[in-house]
Amino acid sequence: MNRRSILMAPLIVPLVTLAAPAVRAAGESGDGARWAEIRRELFGDRPIEPAGDRLVLEAPGRAEDAAVVPVSFTATAPRRSPDGVRSVHLIIDNNPAPLAAVFRFPPDGADPAVATRIRINEYTPLRAVAETADGRLIMAERFVKASGGCSAPAGKDQVAALARLGRMRLNGADAAAPGRPATLQVLISHPNNSGLQFDQISRTYVPPHYLTTIAIAHAGRPLLAVDADISLSEDPSIHFTFVPDGPGPLTVRAEDTKGGVFDGAWPVAGAPGG
Amino acid sequence: MAAGRRAVLRGAAVVAPALLASAAVPAAGDPLPMRQPAPGLHVHMGVHEESTPANAGLIANIGFIVGRDAVAVIDTGGSAEAGRRLRAAVRAVTDRPIRYVINTHVHPDHVFGNAAFVADRPAFVGHRALPAALAQRAPHYREALRRTFGDAMAEASAAVPPTLLVEDSLDLDLGDRRLTLRAHATAHTDNDLTVFDHAGGTLWASDLLFAQRIPAVDGSVTGWLAVLDELAALPARRVVPGHGPVSEDWPGALADQRRYLTVLADEVRAVIRAGGTLERAVETVGRGEAGRWVLFDDYHRRNVTAAFVELEWE
């Protein structure tokens, strides 16, 4: 937890304005100074291998909307092989809080393949660093051209957004069947305010208010746990894939920085009733 | 309808000190060339480009309406220079007081000429949701202004918040010339305002109608389609779009945009129903509309993104 907090929002925000000019220069020139700093904070001296085709990271080269940039990663090695992936750090070098999220996959959980949406504040390398079953680190990277995503004004319809705060939605459950891989999408309505959005009337920053954890389980079996931060987009979305071993509720619990706890449950793979 | 009933009159104390400085910036440029599609209705046609120093942010249709006693300006362009040139165009036609400056919504190409009118002490009129939208977006827009026009013009182009809010609808009387302002539900943005000029039956739809230039969805695609139905029911003889030529084909002038928004919503829904992702929608939706709109490649994919994150909650 200590390590995590260093690169995440609560501590990093006060540093942002001071650090930004230097970071921008480093990012645009392709200089790895920023990454070296992040890497030291997150992984110390541990070696990191290029993932090659073991980990595929996908993101648009140029984002259409910097506040909603689709990104996905897929680990291709069999779960129980030495290269099987247990966790993935999603890192946006030049964001104010570079660590967007850590996805943790229990050995019997979801496949290490996730699609989500992130905010990108300026042109930046994007990285997925996966830890394998035997404790090695492998990394895939992309470069994304986008700017302004973290400080971009929240939502297009503020009234509608507040009215559905905490509401959840599960898409794809209809097609799920026991013994077959099912890809589901969890949507959680939340402003995920970054703390970097300035309100001209109150002359203050909109306070940070974002999801910190998302835990997904099926019939009591943990599938995926996410430690999240401000770089996840408003209304966080997570696509994940798992094999239902029988009927049971899919449950989601999300927690935010203001102590909000949001629960959702849906029948999946033939579970009876509501 | 009395102005007081549905409008909230707010003090002008919010005008920032920076405006005083902007008043000292020397006037640049000539009066804008205006068209007069109906008596007393003056429109400057924006160019279908992004804002640049060369076009001074004059990319939206802006203009004014002259009554017996007073003038109402409708949108002020994307920079202080645009506003000054619009003001010069007013003064080339009439010396009647500029009593109202109406901002049809928060977008920079419609509001950042406001500073040029502060000395006239008009009521700045906007949708009830405009102050919040302006407050949230002003810092973001200021950065964009700096990048586009440089520090001096960005500083001069101060955001001037509305002093007269339209809750639902509001009538303004310019002297034998009545304007009905309507505050719409979320459509192009969450703060769209239209102006109906009863004298000539002109609907100033602003960015609730794009012609030629691709519409930009910054509110709600379903909301926009609903508002188009409301607009189509108005007894207009002429419409001034936010972008594109003035038309007397009413409500036929809405058809192209309605088709685009319908295709956008329908095809995004089809991707969602098939379990497709945002990325897939961005790649596949609305390709049949390419070639029918100016600046399609600059805005379409972003529109798909906006529609997708809206419609996946249906």
Side-chain angles (χ1 to χ4, degrees), chain A residues 35-245:
Chain A
W35 166 234
E37 184 187 328
I38 295 164
R39 176 181 173 159
R40 192 165 50 246
E41 293 285 355
L42 284 176
F43 306 110
D45 297 331
R46 298 174 65 187
I48 302 180
E49 310 162 29
D53 56 10
R54 291 173 292 176
L55 181 65
V56 178
L57 175 65
E58 291 188 272
R62 181 180 293 278
E64 303 306 329
D65 183 342
V68 191
V69 182
V71 55
S72 67
F73 60 81
T74 306
T76 54
R79 298 295 300 282
R80 306 207 175 269
S81 73
D83 276 340
V85 162
R86 293 289 171 79
S87 72
V88 173
H89 285 65
L90 190 62
I91 298 161
I92 307 156
D93 283 16
N94 292 341
N95 266 13
L99 182 55
V102 183
F103 299 85
R104 302 181 196 283
F105 304 93
D108 296 322
D111 294 348
V114 161
T116 186
R117 300 166 192 164
I118 56 176
R119 296 171 162 137
I120 292 186
N121 218 40
E122 55 185 300
Y123 287 21
T124 184
L126 170 70
R127 304 168 196 277
V129 178
E131 181 157 14
T132 61
D134 61 359
R136 285 169 301 120
L137 297 173
I138 61 176
M139 177 169 77
E141 58 184 300
R142 309 273 294 207
F143 194 85
V144 181
K145 294 177 177 174
S147 62
C150 295
S151 55
K156 301 179 192 309
D157 188 337
Q158 290 292 289
V159 175
L162 274 178
R164 63 168 196 240
L165 170 74
R167 198 178 131 201
M168 290 191 202
R169 199 179 160 92
L170 182 74
N171 291 326
D174 295 351
R180 289 174 38 200
T183 296
L184 305 182
Q185 177 197 22
V186 170
L187 267 174
I188 306 169
S189 186
H190 200 286
N192 247 31
N193 289 328
S194 66
L196 301 172
Q197 296 147 325
F198 192 76
D199 188 301
Q200 188 92 356
I201 287 182
S202 63
R203 307 298 302 171
T204 56
Y205 286 90
V206 179
H209 181 202
Y210 57 92
L211 294 180
T212 51
T213 64
I214 303 167
I216 304 173
H218 179 245
R221 167 169 68 120
L223 297 179
L224 169 62
V226 186
D227 295 331
D229 204 83
I230 60 170
S231 295
L232 287 194
S233 299
E234 178 182 1
D235 296 343
S237 164
I238 295 177
H239 279 86
F240 63 98
T241 301
F242 79 111
V243 179
D245 45 15

Side-chain angles (χ1 to χ4, degrees), chain B residues 206-232:
Chain B
S206 189
D207 281 10
L208 287 175
L209 178 59
F210 283 64
Q212 299 173 345
R213 181 183 178 118
I214 184 172
V217 181
D218 194 18
S220 159
V221 63
T222 54
W224 200 343
L225 283 164
V227 168
L228 285 186
D229 288 342
E230 293 170 17
L231 294 183

Side-chain angles (χ1 to χ4, degrees), chain B residues 5 12 28 58 74 114 149 154 164 166 169 221 226 250 273-274 289 307 311:
Chain B
R5 195 167 81 110
L58 286 160
I74 305 177
N114 280 11
F149 298 114
L164 177 60
V166 182
S169 74
V221 63
W250 185 257
R273 271 200 304 274
E289 291 289 318
L311 296 173

